[in-house]
Amino acid sequence: MTCNLNFNSGFTSGICAAGACKASAVFLHDKIIPEHVIIKNLDGKIFNLKVFHENNNKFYVIKNSGEAQDITNGIKIFAEINLNDEHKINFQAGEGVGIITLPGLKIPVGEPAINPVPRKIIINSIREIFKDDLNQGFNIKISIPNGEQIAKNTFNPRLGIIGGLSILGTTGIIKNMNENALLESLNLELNMIKSLGYKNLYITFGNEGEKFLREILKVSGKNIIQCSNYPGHVIDQALNLNFESITISGHPGKLLKLASGSFITHSKISDGKFEALCTHLALNDVPHEIIKNIYSSNTTNEAIKIIEQNNLNFIWNVLARRISERCAERINFKIPFNIIFHDNNKNILGGHECK
């Protein structure tokens, strides 16, 4: 079974690295410059990759991300294999490949950021060529020109992966499933935070939320995670990792959705923010006309102004308490939740602190 690219899929960086490594191994063993190599994934899928010769035993594969078209689409992944007399397999980070600097990931600190599955595929691919000497040792150097610059726009800096990109991939195929990649990155970041010894976790939705935590609440540690649209996933994983407390902060545009029980906050999937807001205003005997105006607001920022103009700021404390309860209910009250609302100017609107 040969797997070729189609409109919806591409090859992972791990498969591309394995292809370049196998081409280098062919050159070392047979003094042949191959134009294509066959790579077998751990699950038996077979990939036919076009390879390019740089010089001597250095080869590269051009990564195609398929329909996903992520920021690594079109990068060149180089490999250079050299023999050693130690009977060991040594992975080396060349230009643009990151180094692990924090514990909690799948690879030890100090090692190149090449995940376990790609490592196995690379080793198997090289052993196919050197099958006449299974004790032969290799130094395997992977490099990605401009990888360090590209990595600044990935999760790598947050994960303590410094100097470049990671070599990833389990299935070998990239599908248009960026959600899965994001959730896996969140899992890795949570593991890293826990491995550093933090017991308390801060969750926010994006860059502005993190700026609020650092500038206003003076949170200086590495225990802040940006959950994007997946606070529920982060909460669930935090329970599995035995965090002792969680603080969630955010703008009402996102945070209010949790009050309605929506733990995926993407606008295409959930809303309910105005319903949650207006329900609690009604429960607190706010006049109907004011509630109607708030419900008719075009944005949450407009609603915030109406609430302030009518001296109804107490409602943020009420809603923060409800969100705390909702989050605790999700994980059977095993972790307490502190909740903080803030506006776009980093002003605290209200909150709830668990005692």
Side-chain angles (χ1 to χ4, degrees):
M1 175 178 63
T2 300
C3 187
N4 293 307
L5 285 174
N6 57 47
F7 180 72
N8 295 311
S9 62
F11 294 145
T12 63
S13 56
I15 287 295
C16 294
C21 286
K22 188 169 186 178
S24 182
V26 169
F27 182 86
L28 274 180
H29 190 269
D30 301 323
K31 304 306 177 186
I32 295 172
I33 298 176
E35 295 184 356
H36 289 83
V37 294
I38 301 298
I39 300 296
K40 183 183 290 186
N41 200 13
L42 299 185
D43 62 5
K45 290 189 180 71
I46 295 174
F47 302 86
N48 185 352
L49 296 180
K50 183 173 178 60
V51 294
F52 300 88
H53 184 221
E54 176 77 358
N55 56 57
N56 297 323
N57 57 329
K58 190 173 184 179
F59 288 77
Y60 67 91
V61 171
I62 299 175
K63 185 173 182 291
N64 187 325
S65 301
E67 189 182 53
Q69 293 292 296
D70 62 20
I71 61 173
T72 65
N73 185 58
I75 64 172
K76 295 179 180 180
I77 300 180
F78 286 83
E80 186 175 356
I81 309 300
N82 289 292
L83 308 182
N84 68 50
D85 297 325
E86 304 171 358
H87 307 295
K88 294 181 179 179
I89 305 295
N90 300 316
F91 282 91
Q92 301 170 341
E95 174 193 359
V97 172
I99 297 291
I100 306 294
T101 66
L102 293 175
L105 303 181
K106 297 177 181 178
I107 302 297
V109 170
E111 279 285 308
I114 304 171
N115 272 13
V117 170
R119 287 179 182 236
K120 290 178 183 178
I121 298 170
I122 288 169
I123 293 169
N124 291 346
S125 298
I126 296 172
R127 291 296 188 204
E128 285 181 24
I129 307 304
F130 284 84
K131 56 188 175 184
D132 51 338
D133 186 2
L134 297 180
N135 291 318
Q136 176 63 57
F138 301 96
N139 297 323
I140 303 168
K141 186 177 182 180
I142 310 294
S143 57
I144 304 172
N146 203 37
E148 184 170 6
Q149 184 63 33
I150 296 170
K152 293 177 182 178
N153 297 311
T154 72
F155 271 83
N156 281 12
R158 298 185 66 86
L159 298 174
I161 299 172
I162 303 303
L165 292 165
S166 308
I167 302 297
L168 307 172
T170 54
T171 66
I173 302 172
I174 295 176
K175 297 180 180 177
N176 194 17
M177 295 173 63
N178 292 332
E179 177 183 20
N180 286 347
L182 174 58
L183 296 181
E184 176 61 18
S185 295
L186 291 173
N187 292 346
L188 291 172
E189 187 170 359
L190 284 165
N191 286 332
M192 180 271 292
I193 292 170
K194 186 63 178 181
S195 71
L196 292 173
Y198 290 104
K199 298 178 180 179
N200 307 310
L201 181 67
Y202 290 85
I203 301 175
T204 190
F205 294 92
N207 290 328
E208 293 305 311
E210 181 163 350
K211 288 178 182 177
F212 166 80
L213 287 170
R214 296 203 181 280
E215 295 174 14
I216 306 304
L217 296 192
K218 306 301 181 184
V219 180
S220 59
K222 294 183 179 293
N223 53 336
I224 298 174
I225 186 166
Q226 295 182 19
C227 69
S228 183
N229 288 307
Y230 302 97
H233 177 84
V234 171
I235 290 168
D236 294 343
Q237 295 303 312
L239 173 64
N240 294 336
L241 291 171
N242 298 312
F243 281 97
E244 294 181 5
S245 73
I246 296 176
T247 298
I248 305 178
S249 68
H251 186 277
K254 286 286 189 182
L255 198 49
L256 276 173
K257 294 183 180 182
L258 275 63
S260 68
S262 297
F263 284 91
I264 297 178
T265 59
H266 196 291
S267 59
K268 292 182 179 180
I269 296 175
S270 68
D271 201 342
K273 54 183 179 290
F274 284 114
E275 286 76 6
L277 175 56
C278 292
T279 295
H280 286 276
L281 288 168
L283 289 171
N284 284 273
D285 300 320
V286 173
H288 174 78
E289 194 62 32
I290 296 176
I291 295 174
K292 184 177 178 180
N293 288 340
I294 290 172
Y295 190 75
S296 300
S297 298
N298 292 318
T299 66
T300 46
N301 286 330
E302 186 179 338
I304 291 170
K305 289 180 181 178
I306 297 172
I307 288 169
E308 184 176 358
Q309 290 166 358
N310 288 277
N311 297 315
L312 300 174
N313 290 321
F314 73 89
I315 199 62
W316 301 118
N317 295 338
V318 173
L319 283 159
R321 183 183 187 89
R322 181 56 182 144
I323 293 168
S324 176
E325 293 168 350
R326 283 281 196 177
C327 293
E329 287 168 1
R330 182 181 175 94
I331 54 173
N332 296 317
F333 301 93
K334 292 183 179 179
I335 302 177
F337 287 83
N338 305 309
I339 307 297
I340 304 169
F341 281 102
H342 63 82
D343 64 16
N344 286 334
N345 295 316
K346 303 186 184 72
N347 297 310
I348 296 175
L349 299 174
H352 173 74
E353 182 179 358
C354 284
K355 303 299 184 183

